Structures are given as structure tokens and as C-alpha cells.
Amino acid sequence: MKRKGILICGMMLSALAASLSGCGKQQGKDASEIEQGNMAVGVSVHDPSIVKADGNYYIFGSHMEAAQSADLKDWKSFASGVNGNNPLFDNLFDKDMKAFAYVGEYVEGGYAVWAPDVIYNKAMGKWVMYFSTSHDWRTSNLCFAVADEITGPYSYVDTILYSGFTSKTVDKTNFREIMGEDVKISDYVQAAEYNHLNYPNCIDPTIFYDTDGKMWMVYGSWSGGIWLLEIDEATGYPIHPEADESAHIDQYFGRYLIGGLHNSCEGPYIFRDEESGYYYLLVSYGGLTREGGYQIRCYRSEKVEGPYLDASGSTFGYVAEHSGLGVKMMGNYFFPSLKTAYMAPGHCSALVDEDGKRFLVYHQRFDSGSEYHEPRVHQMFLNKNGWFVAAPFAYAGESLREEGYKKKEIEGKWYLLNHGTDIGAEIHSGEAVTFRGGSISGEDGTKGNYELEEGTCYISIVQNGIIYDGVLLDMTDEAGNAVRCLMAVGENNETIWAVMYL
């Protein structure tokens, strides 16, 4: 009897210790317990622009690449290669080759067809593709083509905007037709060269409707920044505004939004979110190569014409240093469940589906020693301050928990990283930390606090005096692990991600 009493007492003490320590074993697996793997989608589409039609999803990218999916996970290519055999176009490589008349070849024997964007034009009753052809980093033009079916074939219609011209080549463009025969080009051409520091490179167009039903084109890459032009829905051509120097509106190129002085900023995409009421401008910083620091940044505005501000309340004007400007949604990163780090995510588009889910679509490179890339689709969510955060892993059908979370569900081991605001090859890795009783602690000295709005998916993190407002999400990662994810944005434009392996 005595021994049995000791045993019972010991069991009670063990149970008490377990309850005091958080119900036994800490939530969250150690790195050695986590399955590893990277997703492969089987197609390679650079600069993917997404559109949905007839229940299917389509992405169109540079080099006349295009793919189709029924579920945003499995993709099948239906167009590839810059040549006359590609079924995407029916006349782009006709004898006159009008789309290349100004820019010529990009490399000997080859042509650049970059960054298309497809939209259904309601007034024209056509699918319209806007795209760029280019000769070099500033000598480019924007074109458009139309089709009866989303998959094409698209028929080239016209070239609508030119950049990189000089006094000797301006007559090969439509510049004088728009501006008048007597216009002086001294502002546009300085020292016999195109003024690329203040005026745009005409590539990377995307088209969208505003809340009033007006159609717009946002475009630009490095050079003089990102610009906006209204589009005549009935014809597909730009509506050139009256010049207004004080508002930085140029009659030919339209309204300046952000960037310039050849700072890295390209691949603009604007969409409006009904819930928040903001227009969001997504762009990419850095060089697009694997170690070029490519990354996704975000600005927002209450009006389509801007101003577009970041989480700190700043805009990106003509500045010498821009790394701290714009919410950095993601850059290079690694978590324990990835065999290979993800690098150079960028040139994104977005989609709001019929069920209200929002998706971020972009191309992704890998820490694999090559420049191979694939498209990725990650779900996005609004935090309490109206800023978007993206899930750390590819979309797998997940949804936010309607019942939210309880405090005990947040306690345990997490792998936390901060994307920072750097533009470079550094890979930000998830470091092990413990969430317990509102405090965050890590073996590497990481400290902070967290506060869960119990019964919701909202959580805030405080580190070094900065508040990061975030969202919690349960999903399956790309190796098949059940994970709890935390994504949060601070007023310093940094994004924190954390993952608990369940």
C-alpha cells in the first residue's frame, strides 16, 4: 500500500508539473522532426500575370510563355517561345513585324517580348493583351493585341508608347503625333541621350479598372520610375492628359507615381480591395537574378492616381536610397521544412477570387546555383491596419479559421524570421523561438512580446519597440507538414513570418 501511495503521489506531481509547463510536451516540432521538401509546378513562366476565365486560371509571362490551371496548384503550359510557331499570336511575326520596327532585335537573331498582361475589355468585347518589346534597358515600346478567346490567338493591333528615343530616332515613334510637330524634346533628350533618370522605360504594363469603371495602365521599370495612363476602353489606346508639371503629369507618358533616378523598381501591378477601400501598388525591387535581391514591395492609396504611401506614411520619390521605402512583403527566405531556400520572388500580379480569397502570383527562384524559376501562388490576407501579408507557403486550399485562436494554441516553438528591408542576396532564415505567456524568447537572444486577440486570427508582435500587426493561418506546407503560420507588418515596412510545425 505504501508503494502504491508513492506511485499515485508521483503521478499527481507529474500531472501538476505537466499542467504548469503548458500541458506536457511543448507545441511545435524540432527541426529534426520536420519533413523537408520543395514544391515543383512543372512550368516556368517569368513575370506571371494572372487572369481567370470560365472557371480556370491563366498566367501569361515574358518570352510568350503561358499556362493554365484549374486549382492554382497544377499548371499546364499552352504557349512557349518567341517565334512564329507559338500559337499565342497569329501575326506578331508577319513580314512587316511592326511590333519590332522601332526596337529591332534584342540579341542577334532574337526578339524581346516581355511582361504581358491580359484583361477582358468590356467595351470591345475582346480579350486584350498589353505587352512590351525591347532593344535594351531603355529602348522599348508598349503594344497591344486582341483575341476572341483568352488563350488566343492574339492579333497585334498597334504600338502605343515608346521610350529610349533621341533626336535622331524620335521620328520613328508616335511622340510627335501625340505631342505636336513643333514640340521640343530637350527635356526628354539630354546630351544626345534619352533622359532615362526622369522618364520611364516603356515595359511591364498592367491594365485594370477603377471603381468608376475607368481603365488604366500602370507601367515602367527602373529608369524614371512607375507611371500611370488612362486607357480609352472603346479603343484600347491611351488617353494622353494635359501636362501639369506641379502634379508631375506628362502629356506623353502620363502621371508619375513612384521611383526614378534608375533606382530598382519594376513590374508594377495595381488592384483595389473592396474591404479596405485602398488601391494597392505592388512592385519589385532589386535585380531579377537569383542573387540580385529581387523582392516584392507594396504601397497603397485611397485614389487611383495616388499618392501611394507605405506603412510608414512615406512615398518613393526621387531619392538616392530606397531600401527602406515600401512594405517588403517577401524576399529570400528559408524555413526548416524547405530543402532549398527560396530566392528572388518578384514581378507579381494579384487575383481576388469569387469566394473572396486573395492571391499573390509571382515567379520564384531557388538557392540551387541556377537561374531556373517557376510561378508561385500564395494566399494574401489583410491585417487590422489594412496591409496585406502573404502566407509563407504555396496555396493548398486553406482558409482562415472562423473561430480564431485561443492563447494556449499560440504557445510553443516557432521558427521566426524578419524579411527586413535589405536589397541583396542574404537569405533570411527562420530561427527557433518560444512563445509563452505573451513573451517571445530565442536561444540566439531574440526577445519580444505578442498579444493575441483571442477568438480571432489577429495577433500583434512587439520587437525592439516596433509593433507588427499580423494574421494567423493554419495550412499545409509544401512538404506536407501541418503548420501554423504568423504573418505581420510593422510601421518600419518590415514583414515578420513565423511558422509552428504542428
Side-chain angles (χ1 to χ4, degrees), residues 238-265:
I239 299 173
H240 293 273
E242 291 186 11
D244 184 344
E245 187 175 349
S246 64
H248 212 140
I249 299 174
D250 179 79
Q251 183 180 345
Y252 185 72
F253 291 115
R255 180 185 291 270
Y256 163 85
L257 294 182
I258 64 170
L261 299 184
H262 205 63
N263 280 309
S264 66
C265 185

Side-chain angles (χ1 to χ4, degrees), residues 23-46:
C23 301
K25 184 181 178 182
Q26 172 178 275
Q27 284 192 109
K29 295 179 180 179
D30 292 325
S32 60
E33 304 174 275
I34 299 168
E35 294 293 325
Q36 287 189 315
N38 289 74
M39 185 177 73
V41 300
V43 299
S44 185
V45 180
H46 206 262

Side-chain angles (χ1 to χ4, degrees), residues 343-354:
M343 301 187 73
H347 201 120
C348 58
S349 56
L351 174 74
V352 181
D353 221 336
E354 289 90 345

Side-chain angles (χ1 to χ4, degrees), residues 115 132 137 140 142 161 163 194 199-206 217-229 253 255-260 263-269 281-284 294 347:
S132 51
W137 55 273
S140 309
L142 296 174
L161 213 63
S163 63
Y194 178 71
Y199 293 101
N201 182 17
C202 287
I203 66 172
D204 296 355
T206 56
M217 175 176 70
V218 61
Y219 70 97
S221 173
W222 292 63
S223 294
I226 307 303
W227 293 66
L228 183 74
L229 264 173
F253 291 115
R255 180 185 291 270
Y256 163 85
L257 294 182
I258 64 170
N263 280 309
S264 66
C265 185
E266 64 180 21
Y269 191 92
L281 169 60
L282 304 174
V283 293
S284 295
Y294 217 45
H347 201 120

Side-chain angles (χ1 to χ4, degrees), residues 4-307:
K4 187 175 179 181
I6 293 173
L7 178 61
I8 291 172
C9 182
M11 291 172 65
M12 292 175 63
L13 289 173
S14 296
L16 177 61
S19 66
L20 292 173
S21 64
C23 301
K25 184 181 178 182
Q26 172 178 275
Q27 284 192 109
K29 295 179 180 179
D30 292 325
S32 60
E33 304 174 275
I34 299 168
E35 294 293 325
Q36 287 189 315
N38 289 74
M39 185 177 73
V41 300
V43 299
S44 185
V45 180
H46 206 262
D47 310 326
S49 177
I50 191 166
V51 61
K52 189 176 185 181
D54 303 323
N56 288 307
Y57 305 91
Y58 300 85
I59 50 174
F60 298 86
S62 291
H63 319 302
M64 294 168 58
E65 301 285 338
Q68 176 182 347
S69 175
D71 58 8
L72 293 172
K73 293 177 282 187
D74 297 315
W75 294 91
K76 183 179 180 181
S77 173
F78 66 87
S80 181
V82 184
N83 57 69
N85 296 320
N86 189 318
L88 201 58
F89 288 91
D90 60 11
N91 66 344
L92 194 62
F93 289 91
D94 282 358
K95 186 177 180 180
D96 55 13
M97 295 183 66
K98 290 182 180 179
F100 308 98
Y102 169 68
V103 298
E105 296 178 342
Y106 184 68
V107 294
E108 186 175 354
Y111 296 88
V113 182
W114 288 344
D117 188 56
V118 171
I119 191 170
Y120 184 75
N121 184 307
K122 303 169 188 176
M124 296 171 68
K126 299 278 188 180
W127 291 99
V128 184
M129 176 188 291
Y130 290 82
F131 61 98
S132 51
T133 61
S134 190
H135 176 69
D136 57 32
W137 55 273
R138 61 185 174 185
T139 308
S140 309
N141 47 221
L142 296 174
C143 313
F144 76 101
V146 299
D148 293 321
E149 303 293 336
I150 190 170
T151 53
Y154 287 84
S155 297
Y156 165 83
V157 176
D158 206 353
T159 301
I160 57 176
L161 213 63
Y162 298 77
S163 63
F165 51 79
T166 67
S167 57
K168 293 181 179 180
T169 62
V170 67
D171 291 335
K172 296 180 180 180
T173 75
N174 65 355
F175 181 81
R176 295 194 188 281
E177 176 186 343
I178 304 300
M179 303 291 285
E181 291 295 328
D182 298 328
V183 66
K184 295 181 180 180
I185 63 169
S186 55
D187 284 344
Y188 304 91
V189 179
Q190 297 181 351
E193 295 289 335
Y194 178 71
N195 181 6
H196 71 276
L197 297 179
N198 298 101
Y199 293 101
N201 182 17
C202 287
I203 66 172
D204 296 355
T206 56
I207 311 297
F208 64 98
Y209 285 98
D210 69 10
T211 55
D212 297 323
K214 291 182 179 180
M215 183 175 276
W216 299 86
M217 175 176 70
V218 61
Y219 70 97
S221 173
W222 292 63
S223 294
I226 307 303
W227 293 66
L228 183 74
L229 264 173
E230 187 177 351
I231 296 294
D232 182 353
E233 186 186 19
T235 66
Y237 285 85
I239 299 173
H240 293 273
E242 291 186 11
D244 184 344
E245 187 175 349
S246 64
H248 212 140
I249 299 174
D250 179 79
Q251 183 180 345
Y252 185 72
F253 291 115
R255 180 185 291 270
Y256 163 85
L257 294 182
I258 64 170
L261 299 184
H262 205 63
N263 280 309
S264 66
C265 185
E266 64 180 21
Y269 191 92
I270 290 177
F271 70 101
R272 187 179 186 275
D273 186 78
E274 291 295 328
E275 180 182 344
S276 70
Y278 285 104
Y279 291 91
Y280 292 87
L281 169 60
L282 304 174
V283 293
S284 295
Y285 287 5
L288 57 78
T289 58
R290 179 172 57 89
E291 295 188 337
Y294 217 45
Q295 57 190 255
I296 299 171
R297 299 278 183 143
C298 183
Y299 295 83
R300 72 184 186 190
S301 173
E302 295 178 349
K303 299 179 180 179
V304 66
E305 299 97 334

Side-chain angles (χ1 to χ4, degrees), residues 434-456:
T434 297
F435 281 37
R436 182 77 66 202
S439 296
I440 302 171
S441 59
E443 293 180 3
D444 63 351
T446 298
K447 292 183 179 180
N449 300 97
Y450 67 91
E451 184 175 352
L452 171 69
E453 190 174 312
E454 199 163 23
T456 77

